[in-house]
Amino acid sequence: MSEVVRKPTEFRRACEDARAVQRRVGLVPTMGALHEGHFSLIDEARSRADFIALTIFVNPLQFAPGEDLACYPRTFESDLAGCRERGVDLVFAPEPNAMYPPGFQTEVSVKELGKPLEGGFRTSHFDGVTTVVTKLFNLTGPCTAMFGRKDYQQWKILSRMALDLHMPIELVGCPIIREADGLALSSRNRYLSPSERERALGIVSGLRHAYDAWAHGERDPNTLRSLAEEVIRPTFDRLDYVAAADPETLAPSPPSPSRLLIAVAAHLGSTRLIDNLVLGEDPRP
Ligand code: PAF
């Protein structure tokens, strides 16, 4: 039975109580609309910790005006049922006012890693993410925290932040979970019409194209990037980027890398999808 708390003080106390009886806290921060990708984070947390805390908070700070904050899917009752089924011990679901009371004015920012890729298109997004996750880490205290690698740049930024600020958090980046046909799971997939859902497969086809070229020995970052882009571009209404980057610094990759991040952001109608693959490390998607 998952306990639900709404107040930050209650959440902090419950995590402290768990640690007081020697339970290792596993944290799964989410914005709700839970799917198998989130459930895989819960399973991973259970393999590393014995008290599982999941947070559900659609964080207004990480949405720019005009993005989908107002219509972001909110499915609290079914999220809770999923948490109960998966053995989550504690659900923290605060109201925006509890996280950002009047007068709130502090921001946490990771400088360089936030600039490329998503940072070029969602300029204030990562400051909103690092600020809310700092608050969640502060409330949780020492723990192991799970993040999905579908948000690859977010995972790298949060890992840097935890290191830079001596946070007592072990951060785990968990593999992307895909549908049987390869589409990466996302809470935003539910916005897609049946025909858009079909076209969305263009991303994974593009990533596979790059993967196959890499498997045949191609190592030029720009060639690999272009191979992915030539498959992805025609199926999408608009492409924000198909990028080839160093998987650690996220800067443009040097020639002949031993690992290469291919990252994509593309639009179908009003839905924006992201996906990525680390060549030289990830399996064929
Ligand atoms: O990845 C997400 O769902 C969100 O960005 C996070 C980490 C829960 C912060 O709001």
Side-chain angles (χ1 to χ4, degrees):
M1 189 69 172
S2 321
E3 185 191 355
V4 180
V5 295
R6 299 274 180 191
K7 291 189 186 148
T9 47
E10 293 170 335
F11 180 59
R12 167 176 277 152
R13 168 66 64 84
C15 294
E16 280 171 358
D17 288 350
R19 273 191 304 275
V21 292
Q22 316 309 326
R23 297 177 81 184
R24 172 89 195 154
V25 177
L27 176 69
V28 182
T30 82
M31 297 203 301
L34 303 184
H35 51 65
E36 286 300 325
H38 298 108
F39 296 145
S40 76
L41 303 183
I42 297 173
D43 292 345
E44 186 63 32
R46 293 190 61 75
S47 74
R48 294 168 178 267
D50 34 35
F51 179 83
I52 309 308
L54 181 138
T55 68
I56 298 178
F57 180 59
V58 183
N59 172 34
L61 222 58
Q62 68 190 72
F63 290 79
E67 289 187 348
D68 56 346
L69 172 64
C71 62
Y72 194 83
R74 286 159 173 89
T75 57
F76 187 70
E77 288 310 321
S78 65
D79 291 350
L80 206 53
C83 286
R84 290 191 167 131
E85 248 169 60
R86 296 284 172 143
V88 169
D89 296 286
L90 178 67
V91 173
F92 176 46
E95 295 297 333
N97 259 351
M99 293 298 274
Y100 302 117
F104 183 88
Q105 53 183 286
T106 301
E107 206 169 75
V108 179
S109 184
V110 174
K111 287 183 190 161
E112 295 307 319
L113 282 173
K115 285 183 184 159
L117 308 175
E118 288 294 281
F121 295 86
R122 304 185 72 193
T123 45
S124 57
H125 170 68
F126 287 123
D127 290 348
V129 171
T130 44
T131 301
V132 80
V133 172
T134 297
K135 289 164 71 67
L136 294 174
F137 285 173
N138 281 338
L139 292 170
T140 311
C143 67
T144 303
M146 312 297 139
F147 293 91
R149 290 208 301 259
K150 188 169 85 64
D151 295 297
Y152 187 93
Q153 188 173 12
Q154 168 174 281
W155 169 51
K156 284 292 162 191
I157 288 172
L158 293 173
S159 303
R160 185 76 247 169
M161 175 186 87
L163 196 67
D164 287 354
L165 300 182
H166 304 287
M167 292 173 163
I169 313 291
E170 182 197 16
L171 238 112
V172 181
C174 302
I176 297 175
I177 305 296
R178 298 180 181 278
E179 303 272 14
D181 59 9
L183 183 69
L185 293 190
S186 163
S187 303
R188 291 184 168 102
N189 288 352
R190 67 189 74 198
Y191 299 151
L192 299 170
S193 68
S195 72
E196 288 172 340
R197 168 67 183 73
E198 198 56 40
R199 288 163 63 202
L201 291 175
I203 293 191
V204 74
S205 303
L207 294 176
R208 285 176 183 150
H209 207 44
Y211 180 97
D212 293 343
W214 176 276
H216 284 97
E218 179 59 62
R219 289 294 180 274
D220 177 54
N222 200 39
T223 304
L224 290 157
R225 194 203 65 74
S226 304
L227 284 170
E229 181 173 335
E230 74 192 22
V231 175
I232 296 168
R233 183 174 287 284
T235 67
F236 279 82
D237 295 326
R238 187 153 58 88
L239 217 54
D240 280 350
Y241 58 82
V242 177
D246 180 284
E248 298 311 315
T249 64
L250 307 183
S253 170
S256 300
S258 59
R259 290 156 70 239
L260 181 70
L261 171 70
I262 304 288
V264 183
H267 296 256
L268 280 171
S270 56
T271 308
R272 183 174 188 273
L273 298 177
I274 60 170
D275 201 346
N276 69 80
L277 179 67
V278 179
L279 299 172
E281 181 174 308
D282 289 338
R284 191 174 192 271

